[in-house]
């Protein structure tokens, strides 16, 4: 499995043609306490950069973008029931959705952890 990062502060954990998507530590820090998530529709196909979900905090609301072309296969119902998981475990239990990738090679140009860490540090 490979984890990549987007400039919009999503992470994507890639396993073949499947992937899990969530928000990064930087994103949840910037948002503050997450109080609501609007998750995408299972079975719906999205294009890369489409707004697939929404995360709302006490400070702001932000879109969670589709990192690549694909179809949502599962949403995190535990996150819907307890949005604070996006704060307490954003890279684990706080994942947003799983998807099937139309073309995994689309993700080749995304940032790895080292590149993203440098990017996020500049974003402060």
């Amino acid at each position: 499995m490979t984890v990549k990062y987007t400039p919009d502060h999503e992470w994507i954990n890639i396993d073949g043609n499947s992937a899990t998507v969530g928000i990064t530590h930087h994103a949840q820090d910037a948002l503050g306490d997450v109080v609501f998530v609007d998750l995408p529709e299972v079975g719906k196909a999205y294009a890369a950069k489409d707004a697939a979900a929404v995360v709302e905090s006490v400070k702001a609301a932000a879109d969670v973008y589709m990192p690549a072309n694909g179809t949502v296969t599962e949403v995190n119902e535990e996150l819907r029931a307890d949005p604070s998981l996006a704060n307490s475990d954003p890279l684990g239990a706080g994942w947003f959705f799983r998807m099937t990738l139309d073309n995994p090679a689309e993700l080749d140009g995304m940032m790895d952890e080292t590149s993203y860490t440098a990017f996020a540090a500049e974003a402060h």
Side-chain angles (χ1 to χ4, degrees), residues 5 9-11 22-32 85-92 113 116 120 124:
Y5 299 86
H9 307 287
E10 291 97 15
W11 57 265
I23 62 172
T24 64
H25 281 288
H26 177 83
Q28 68 86 24
D29 276 346
L31 285 166
L85 290 171
N87 293 118
S88 62
D89 192 10
L91 303 179
E113 185 173 3
Y116 176 76
H124 277 290

Side-chain angles (χ1 to χ4, degrees), residues 74-111:
E74 182 182 356
V75 296
N76 187 350
E77 293 297 344
E78 289 181 20
L79 180 64
R80 192 188 313 265
D82 183 6
S84 70
L85 290 171
N87 293 118
S88 62
D89 192 10
L91 303 179
W95 61 275
F96 276 64
F97 58 90
R98 294 197 168 110
M99 63 182 288
T100 299
L101 300 164
D102 289 352
N103 179 7
E106 280 184 85
L107 306 174
D108 289 347
M110 287 188 176
M111 292 177 272

Side-chain angles (χ1 to χ4, degrees), residues 3-114:
V3 179
K4 300 277 190 160
Y5 299 86
T6 73
D8 296 311
H9 307 287
E10 291 97 15
W11 57 265
I12 179 165
N13 189 342
I14 308 146
D15 185 9
N17 285 352
S18 299
T20 303
V21 179
I23 62 172
T24 64
H25 281 288
H26 177 83
Q28 68 86 24
D29 276 346
L31 285 166
D33 292 334
V34 174
V35 295
F36 176 78
V37 294
D38 184 17
L39 299 172
E41 181 183 334
V42 173
K44 184 171 179 183
Y46 291 87
K49 301 190 183 349
D50 280 355
V54 176
V55 57
E56 293 182 14
S57 72
V58 293
K59 290 197 247 181
D63 289 329
V64 177
Y65 297 100
M66 198 69 159
N69 295 319
T71 303
V72 173
T73 57
E74 182 182 356
V75 296
N76 187 350
E77 293 297 344
E78 289 181 20
L79 180 64
R80 192 188 313 265
D82 183 6
S84 70
L85 290 171
N87 293 118
S88 62
D89 192 10
L91 303 179
W95 61 275
F96 276 64
F97 58 90
R98 294 197 168 110
M99 63 182 288
T100 299
L101 300 164
D102 289 352
N103 179 7
E106 280 184 85
L107 306 174
D108 289 347
M110 287 188 176
M111 292 177 272
D112 63 12
E113 185 173 3
T114 303

